[in-house]
Amino acid sequence: MTDAPRPNIILILTDDQGYGDLACTGNPWLATPCIDALHHAGVRFTDFHASPLCTPTRGALLTGRRPIRNGAWATCWGRSILRRDELTLPEVLRHNGYHTALFGKWHLGDNYPYRPQDRGFEHVVAHKGGGVGQTPDWWGNSYFDDTYWHNGEPQAHQGYCTDVWFDEALAYMQAHRAEPFFVYLATNAPHSPYLVEERYSAPYASNPAIPEPAFYGMIANIDENVGRLCAWLDEAGLADNTLLLFMTDNGSSGGWRPDGRGYNAGMRGIKGSYYDGGHRVPLFIRWPAGGLVGGRDIADLTLHLDLLPTLVDLLGLTLPRPAAWDGRSLAPLLRGEADALPDRVHIEQIRQSTEPPDPCDGVVMTRRWRLVHGAELYDMAQDPAQQHDVAARHPEIAAQLRAEQEAWWAEIGPTVERYCPIALGNDAENPTRLNAMDVLGDVAWHQGHILEAQRTTGRWAVDVERPGRYRLELRRWPDELDLPIDGAPTPEEAALIPYPHAPVPLRLAPSAAWVGLFGRVWRQAVAPEQHAVRFELDLPESGETRLDAWFVLPGGDEVGAYYVTVERLGP
């Protein structure tokens, strides 16, 4: 394989599409001919596992390190940010002469130093947050005709979100077709809300066995775009020496329901679950010049943690600095040098909270066994549907796997509380806009929550990088909406928000606001029709701290500011 010229790399990662949400993995209703063609022509991993949620998978995929280690173990709460000292796949590829680009979803930090352009990507076209229409995203994005960020600058687009990501990717590859490129094509579809043109969902609408026809329609649109991409590679003469990977980030969100509707490939659990249905996902790889063809199955237990070390080994890449991975190279399996690698223990833990996961919770995995929630033991060789807890019959196995988990926490425990602070005052991003998705506590993670004035915690982990004079602006609404704090969007504007929300926005009329940094507090009154509350502060200190930013309502109740802009004005 290493005799072939260094290949282009395209990684397609879809959002919330489970193992059973493809025709080639057994779905009886869903038509996915273009993705099926990759499955039939390439190498398929049949026991490949991600994390049960999107952010943890993305961080693990790009670093080869477990979510608890790399800091990105949740989807909000200041815990969806990838530690700044982690070495990432695009950094490695840039070091080896690749052009690198991201299209679609990042969800590992929207502020410096965590943005994709800070982590190795030369070119970025993306939404913000975990999905189109979430709190950090451009206000009013609705999957159609939206504004996305091009290398940090907002730019309006025409068309459906998935089509836009593929259009932009194809244009980038055309521009760099003579040079090795890495394209990370991470769709936000088919994540909820389930929105797509009716022509894609209509074929599934009349089938009562399908729980979410639009979810299937979003996958059909992805499949069509995968077909467009593959056709372009053929026409450009690049298909033979392009390493094309297709995978999904966690179990299904819309393809199966507990009432039995849908299809889940015989697995227990969906997105968010520690059972295999929450984290077993498809991975197909095709690279004709490298011999990765033929419809060959690899049945060994493999992980998202393995992708980075595998590419380094498979392609003979060098590293810009030393790395210690939790994953391992799968190159011997891809080269056909082995049918299986030595068995290992993998520990997967997430938590949707500012607080770290429970050390005793999660799933501990080997090739044969799963220890779920620290107590339930499943023999996957005999019971792949995980219906029979055999912990009482095999107490020694359960005890052994619990001991592995305890040893892991003895290693990771001393560092797990550490935050990934957002930098303030750095020239790379000044001003910096904070939002209520990243607060340390109660979050408002989508724009429907802002319309409903959901109570949030007005506290962020920050790193004031240099002393000086700073301006802080506290807002209820993002600055692109340009509304007073006590105002509200029109019903027509509110109707654009794709996430569920009350039909009439809830108004807030705070009487005061306050901010806190380095143990000091500043407070001022809020006037009617005021768009933002502005504080100018002289900060002689620098370093990591907590930023508080709160509105005070009549009667004394407090709600965190939903958006806070921090700008360093000078020394």
Side-chain angles (χ1 to χ4, degrees), residues 289-541:
L292 302 185
V293 291
R296 178 164 57 95
D297 286 339
I298 292 176
D300 201 12
L301 175 71
T302 51
L303 308 168
H304 53 354
L305 301 171
D306 300 332
L307 181 64
L308 175 51
T310 297
L311 290 176
V312 169
D313 184 1
L314 191 67
L315 305 183
L317 305 176
T318 61
L319 302 182
R321 59 183 187 273
W325 294 309
D326 293 314
R328 66 184 180 187
S329 172
L330 306 179
L333 302 176
L334 289 168
R335 294 187 184 114
E337 299 167 354
D339 293 327
L341 299 176
D343 204 3
R344 56 177 162 172
V345 175
H346 172 56
I347 299 163
E348 187 63 55
Q349 293 170 301
I350 57 173
R351 188 176 185 183
Q352 293 290 64
S353 169
T354 295
E355 301 304 317
D358 183 336
C360 299
D361 200 13
V363 58
V364 187
M365 306 168 60
T366 68
R367 187 178 290 124
R368 177 177 176 181
W369 301 100
R370 305 284 191 270
L371 182 70
V372 179
H373 300 306
E376 304 169 27
L377 183 67
Y378 298 95
D379 183 348
M380 302 303 291
Q382 302 297 322
D383 179 27
Q386 297 177 284
Q387 297 298 307
H388 306 288
D389 177 5
V390 295
R393 288 168 46 195
H394 299 280
E396 74 288 354
I397 299 295
Q400 176 190 347
L401 296 180
R402 276 194 292 268
E404 293 277 0
Q405 193 165 3
E406 290 167 2
W408 159 246
W409 271 90
E411 173 192 346
I412 202 67
T415 61
V416 75
E417 294 279 358
R418 183 164 57 101
Y419 285 101
C420 300
I422 296 169
L424 303 180
N426 191 291
D427 290 340
E429 186 186 38
N430 188 43
T432 296
R433 187 169 87 171
L434 310 176
N435 68 84
M437 188 173 183
D438 292 329
V439 297
L440 312 183
D442 296 327
V443 301
W445 61 270
H446 64 70
Q447 293 169 3
H449 289 153
I450 310 299
L451 290 171
E452 294 178 334
Q454 182 163 301
R455 298 298 176 90
T456 65
T457 302
R459 182 171 296 123
W460 291 261
V462 298
D463 182 5
V464 180
E465 292 205 346
R466 63 182 83 176
R469 187 161 183 82
Y470 285 79
R471 177 189 295 129
L472 281 69
E473 294 188 349
L474 281 59
R475 295 178 181 268
R476 159 79 187 276
W477 309 104
D479 48 6
E480 65 264 23
L481 202 53
D482 194 27
L483 285 172
I485 295 167
D486 56 356
T490 66
E492 293 76 18
E493 291 170 329
L496 294 174
I497 305 305
Y499 282 88
H501 57 84
V504 179
L506 182 64
R507 293 177 181 265
L508 290 179
S511 57
W514 65 275
V515 297
L517 279 164
F518 298 110
R520 291 184 289 157
V521 171
W522 296 263
R523 183 183 178 98
Q524 64 174 271
V526 178
E529 299 186 5
Q530 188 171 341
H531 283 229
V533 185
R534 297 178 177 86
F535 296 83
E536 290 200 10
L537 314 176
D538 290 310
L539 298 179
E541 308 97 325

Side-chain angles (χ1 to χ4, degrees), residues 104-168:
K105 175 171 174 172
W106 172 242
H107 205 185
L108 291 169
D110 290 321
N111 298 104
Y112 177 83
Y114 310 108
R115 303 167 301 176
Q117 59 264 42
D118 305 320
R119 309 310 297 266
F121 285 106
E122 294 177 318
H123 184 68
V124 177
V125 181
H127 62 78
K128 290 192 177 183
V132 169
Q134 294 189 6
T135 298
D137 202 27
W138 189 264
W139 186 271
N141 275 359
S142 63
Y143 287 52
F144 298 91
D145 302 334
D146 292 337
T147 295
Y148 303 124
W149 275 264
H150 283 236
N151 304 316
E153 298 299 323
Q155 182 172 318
H157 289 267
Q158 296 296 310
Y160 182 62
C161 52
T162 304
D163 299 336
V164 170
W165 311 136
F166 277 83
D167 287 345
E168 293 288 340

Side-chain angles (χ1 to χ4, degrees), residues 1 7-12 35-46 48 61 239-240 242-247 282-298 302-303 306-308 310-311 314-315 330-331 333-335:
M1 287 185 191
N8 302 309
I9 305 169
I10 303 172
L11 171 58
I12 302 172
I35 300 172
D36 294 352
L38 292 179
H39 170 274
H40 300 331
V43 177
R44 300 86 65 104
F45 289 80
T46 60
F48 181 76
L61 189 71
D240 192 55
T242 294
L243 200 165
L244 177 58
L245 306 96
F246 175 89
M247 62 174 290
L283 171 61
F284 314 141
I285 301 179
R286 188 192 73 185
W287 177 24
L292 302 185
V293 291
R296 178 164 57 95
D297 286 339
I298 292 176
T302 51
L303 308 168
D306 300 332
L307 181 64
L308 175 51
T310 297
L311 290 176
L314 191 67
L315 305 183
L330 306 179
L333 302 176
L334 289 168
R335 294 187 184 114

